[in-house]
Amino acid sequence: MRVGENLNAALHGLLESDPSAYVIGEDILDPYGGAFKITKGLSSRFPERVLGTPISESGITGLAAGLALCGDAAVVEIMFGDFVALAFDQIVNFAAKSVTMYGSRVPIRMVVRCPTGGGRGYGPTHSQSLQKHFVGVPGLSVYEMSPLHDNRQVFDAMLASGGPCVFFEDKILYTRHMNDVGDLFRHDVMPGAEDVARVFLDDPEKADCVIIAPGGMVDRAVRAMRGLLLEQEVTCCLLVPSRLYPFDAEPLLPVLRGARAVLVAEEGTAGGTWGSEVAHRIHRLIWNDLRRPVALVSSADSVIPTAAHLERAVLVQDSTIHDAVLEALRD
């Protein structure tokens, strides 16, 4: 099954199992089924709870927050994640605040889906990775889609949290196969951290380098790991959290302590990033056990070009991760 199909099945399952759940967004109705066909079939099965809307990201998100405030569950599709900036006020100043600002905790079961990232030639305003702008907002959780996490389980976790969540979906993943880590590696769930997937060769606690990356980076990280193993005999363990924020580093410590280097890779640009938050938490916990500070990998400080060769030069590639690992391991 491909990741996009898994996500579509998750939305079907959610609407089937929860009669209070709604899916809201632009052009999500059949026969179109959304810009990336993730909502295909939903409006045919659940016409009263799959709502096509005008082009107004703020209005869509405000409607979803209102439904959630009244006890329903709402899933919003932002057609391209770049446009979530237009909904920032509703997410940060209404939905996230509503959880606690009324004197007692109020469940706000709301998920804002954001197709994100480059690699498809969509240009500067349709290719960004804006995760960092939602990290650190009280009451708001940030998740990212992964080929190593079943989307139904992720949706159940987000809605069970009782707070609004922003769910970033790297567009490149929609056509990738679930649980595909190649022929050299295997993967499992990190013990003590059920939302963290782990990709490794043999013993993850004896890897030379630990790479921490969100779901959209899995393919690139695995290709980098393969090259490092075959060309340099360097072993890596990849950790892929489903929930990016809040981030709990403590369950990862057994793997982190044994590594010669730790690296965080993400597609967004540098400066106030999720990666720097992860590094900060690791440094606070095990600074004396680290052989060197956590290394950070991010895309260039640039708009994202449409031309494929220029886009590749700006965004993080598997070669970027490969070279960063070797640099981090250099004595």
Side-chain angles (χ1 to χ4, degrees):
M1 177 179 284
R2 298 183 188 276
V3 175
E5 295 170 338
N6 180 267
L7 179 55
N8 175 258
L11 292 172
H12 275 273
L14 171 63
L15 289 172
E16 185 174 20
S17 64
D18 186 350
S20 71
Y22 290 80
V23 174
I24 308 167
E26 302 162 12
D27 292 335
I28 64 172
L29 304 183
D30 291 332
Y32 191 59
F36 301 100
K37 312 308 175 191
I38 301 303
T39 58
K40 183 178 179 180
L42 293 179
S43 64
S44 297
R45 289 187 65 195
F46 311 99
E48 296 181 354
R49 293 187 286 126
V50 180
L51 310 178
T53 67
I55 301 174
S56 175
E57 284 75 14
S58 179
I60 298 166
T61 312
L63 170 61
L67 285 167
L69 189 62
C70 292
D72 294 316
V75 178
V76 175
E77 178 178 296
I78 304 294
M79 186 179 290
F80 282 83
D82 310 66
F83 305 144
V84 74
L86 297 167
F88 194 81
D89 181 60
Q90 292 289 353
I91 295 170
V92 173
N93 285 329
F94 179 52
K97 302 295 185 294
S98 293
V99 177
T100 55
M101 73 177 181
Y102 300 119
S104 61
R105 186 173 180 85
V106 177
I108 302 292
R109 297 190 302 146
M110 168 181 164
V111 176
V112 181
R113 294 182 43 239
C114 297
T116 194
R120 295 182 62 146
Y122 290 149
T125 61
H126 292 68
S127 306
Q128 299 168 91
S129 297
L130 301 179
Q131 291 89 329
K132 67 181 181 181
H133 299 290
F134 296 93
V135 169
V137 177
L140 183 67
S141 297
V142 180
Y143 284 74
E144 182 158 336
M145 184 176 70
S146 157
L148 306 178
H149 295 85
D150 179 72
N151 283 296
R152 180 58 196 277
Q153 294 179 4
V154 176
F155 268 87
D156 287 346
M158 288 191 288
L159 293 174
S161 72
C165 301
V166 184
F167 186 52
F168 289 92
E169 305 165 9
D170 195 301
K171 299 184 288 286
I172 288 293
L173 292 182
Y174 290 140
T175 57
R176 299 290 195 267
H177 288 281
M178 293 290 295
N179 302 308
D180 183 7
V181 295
D183 57 343
L184 290 179
F185 305 108
R186 49 197 175 116
H187 71 91
D188 63 9
V189 175
M190 182 78 188
E194 61 183 21
D195 75 308
V196 180
R198 184 171 63 172
V199 181
F200 54 95
L201 177 66
D202 189 10
D203 185 347
E205 295 187 16
K206 294 183 179 179
D208 295 309
C209 180
V210 172
I211 302 171
I212 304 174
M217 299 298 296
V218 168
D219 283 359
R220 283 167 278 186
V222 169
R223 288 196 299 270
M225 290 167 60
R226 182 184 180 89
L228 288 161
L229 178 64
L230 297 180
E231 298 163 15
Q232 306 288 336
E233 296 186 351
V234 169
T235 59
C236 297
C237 173
L238 172 64
L239 302 179
V240 184
S242 172
R243 188 182 70 181
L244 304 186
Y245 185 86
F247 181 79
D248 184 6
E250 290 203 34
L252 314 183
L253 297 187
V255 172
L256 299 177
R257 280 195 170 101
R260 293 166 51 202
V262 178
L263 180 146
V264 185
E266 58 189 320
E267 189 173 296
T269 55
T273 64
W274 171 72
S276 61
E277 170 70 11
V278 172
H280 166 68
R281 289 178 180 270
I282 293 172
H283 288 160
R284 288 189 63 187
L285 289 171
I286 56 169
W287 176 258
N288 291 333
D289 297 330
L290 293 171
R291 303 188 185 190
R292 49 183 55 80
V294 175
L296 302 179
V297 175
S298 54
S299 293
D301 183 14
S302 168
V303 297
I304 301 171
T306 302
H309 67 292
L310 297 176
E311 187 180 41
R312 285 193 298 270
V314 167
L315 298 176
V316 172
Q317 305 296 324
D318 52 296
S319 58
T320 319
I321 300 172
H322 176 285
D323 294 346
V325 170
L326 292 180
E327 179 65 27
L329 291 171
R330 185 172 296 163
D331 292 328

